[in-house]
Amino acid sequence: MRNPRTVLFDDGGQLLVTDTRTSDIHRLGETGDILSTTRLEGTIPYLAGLRGDTTWVFSPSDGSMHRLVALRPDRVTMLDLDTGNERALRWAIRTDSGYVSKILDDDGGNRIVWYDDEGVARGRISLPGPSWRYAGMLRNGRAGTISLSGFLPFLYEASPAGLDSTRLAGFDSPMLARSLQFERGTVEQPPLLSGSAALAGDWLFVLNMRPGWLHVDVFDAEGRLAYILTQPDPSFSKEYYPTDIAVKEGQPGEFHLAVTLTEPAPGVERYVWTMPPRVDE
């Protein structure tokens, strides 16, 4: 792999990983072996959904949504992203009824758009304020679409009726001070606090960006910090850079985690975590 960017567990516990540098979608076995590879030439592939043997892959460069059956290309749907700004940020996922995209374009307007199966826009909401507040991946939540924020400890629940925000209570990062400096205008760029997040059971697993090691915060359904996970024997390595996280629930109280990395070497790390009893229980 050269730039593994998104990762998902399939129903059998194997992993799907997209490489945005090579346009490949890899299927990995439990031991890490690449079992098969599908190349979508000319795309920048992001995993957008998985149901049974059907996978959806979004390419933000042209707004194309690719449906693969058993990892074989089956159909391409073009989403009407309605933007001519090449610098606009775009994410999209598959839902039960169609597709959802998030488009961040400070000039043309920041918005979330809902589409039918043919890629025709059927509804949209505006995202008030600057685009950096909403930069982050989309996820299918229990009650609708979850919009992640990489630069603030918030997540947003989006529906055609509007947008609700949830503060991630207890989130901590050594970069929060720099975030405050950015809001006050004393630094030019906000720091990335969270690279990705995944929902599993009643829990939200947030990839908390730390210089040196894997750090995952686990929040309950109310957005309250419940657990902090780190890799075994963490050690400082400033080149450590995770890009995405996937979580799959196994036996009761057991969770399988997969994290894609671009540094120190492109690849995937897998972990198993058994949830201990809560102190308040």
Side-chain angles (χ1 to χ4, degrees), residues 170-191:
F171 181 91
D172 192 20
S173 169
M175 294 181 284
L176 283 173
R178 186 174 177 85
S179 297
L180 180 60
Q181 291 175 334
F182 172 76
E183 294 222 54
R184 290 176 172 173
T186 57
V187 297
E188 293 184 357
Q189 297 292 332

Side-chain angles (χ1 to χ4, degrees), residues 45-62:
Y46 285 73
L47 290 165
L50 182 64
R51 188 179 305 147
D53 67 346
T54 303
T55 305
W56 286 269
V57 177
F58 176 63
S59 180
S61 57
D62 61 0

Side-chain angles (χ1 to χ4, degrees), residues 257-280:
L257 286 74
V259 177
T260 47
L261 307 170
T262 56
E263 297 178 17
V268 183
E269 294 180 343
R270 291 190 61 163
Y271 300 91
V272 178
W273 174 58
T274 301
M275 179 179 289
R278 294 286 299 275
V279 173
D280 55 5

Side-chain angles (χ1 to χ4, degrees), residues 60-269:
S61 57
D62 61 0
S64 58
M65 184 68 74
H66 299 253
R67 186 176 72 183
L68 289 73
V69 178
L71 285 186
R72 292 190 294 271
D74 177 66
R75 179 187 179 190
V76 178
T77 299
M78 301 302 298
L79 302 185
D80 180 12
L81 299 181
D82 189 25
T83 178
N85 184 357
E86 294 182 355
R87 300 181 62 183
L89 300 178
R90 308 167 179 91
W91 295 266
I93 57 172
R94 172 70 189 187
T95 68
D96 290 338
S97 58
Y99 308 96
V100 180
S101 75
K102 177 167 61 176
I103 303 162
L104 300 184
D105 180 358
D106 284 324
D107 295 327
N110 305 313
R111 56 204 181 272
I112 293 178
V113 184
W114 283 262
Y115 307 85
D116 62 17
D117 272 334
E118 302 303 318
V120 178
R122 298 301 186 189
R124 69 180 60 204
I125 59 172
S126 297
L127 302 176
S131 61
W132 68 270
R133 291 182 172 272
Y134 304 100
M137 296 182 180
L138 295 173
R139 293 286 186 258
N140 282 308
R142 289 175 288 273
T145 300
I146 302 296
S147 174
L148 304 177
S149 173
F151 298 100
L152 289 171
F154 280 84
L155 61 82
Y156 300 90
E157 296 182 54
S159 72
L163 193 71
D164 290 326
S165 63
T166 298
R167 183 175 70 90
L168 299 179
F171 181 91
D172 192 20
S173 169
M175 294 181 284
L176 283 173
R178 186 174 177 85
S179 297
L180 180 60
Q181 291 175 334
F182 172 76
E183 294 222 54
R184 290 176 172 173
T186 57
V187 297
E188 293 184 357
Q189 297 292 332
L192 181 63
L193 302 178
S194 173
S196 182
L199 291 154
D202 295 326
W203 305 95
L204 175 71
F205 292 74
V206 175
L207 191 58
N208 190 325
M209 305 298 281
R210 295 297 178 101
W213 59 86
L214 179 64
H215 181 116
V216 178
D217 291 329
V218 185
F219 293 86
D220 65 16
E222 303 300 321
R224 297 171 301 195
L225 180 64
Y227 301 98
I228 297 174
L229 313 181
T230 59
Q231 66 192 71
D233 302 319
S235 60
F236 180 78
S237 171
K238 66 180 181 179
E239 285 80 21
Y240 186 85
Y241 193 84
T243 57
D244 195 17
I245 183 172
V247 183
K248 182 179 179 66
E249 194 168 10
Q251 300 296 323
E254 180 186 84
F255 295 87
H256 297 257
L257 286 74
V259 177
T260 47
L261 307 170
T262 56
E263 297 178 17
V268 183
E269 294 180 343

Side-chain angles (χ1 to χ4, degrees), residues 15-34:
L15 289 176
L16 299 182
V17 179
T18 62
D19 190 321
T20 56
R21 187 73 58 81
T22 63
S23 301
D24 289 333
I25 300 99
H26 301 293
R27 184 186 296 278
L28 275 62
E30 291 188 1
T31 61
D33 297 328
I34 294 178

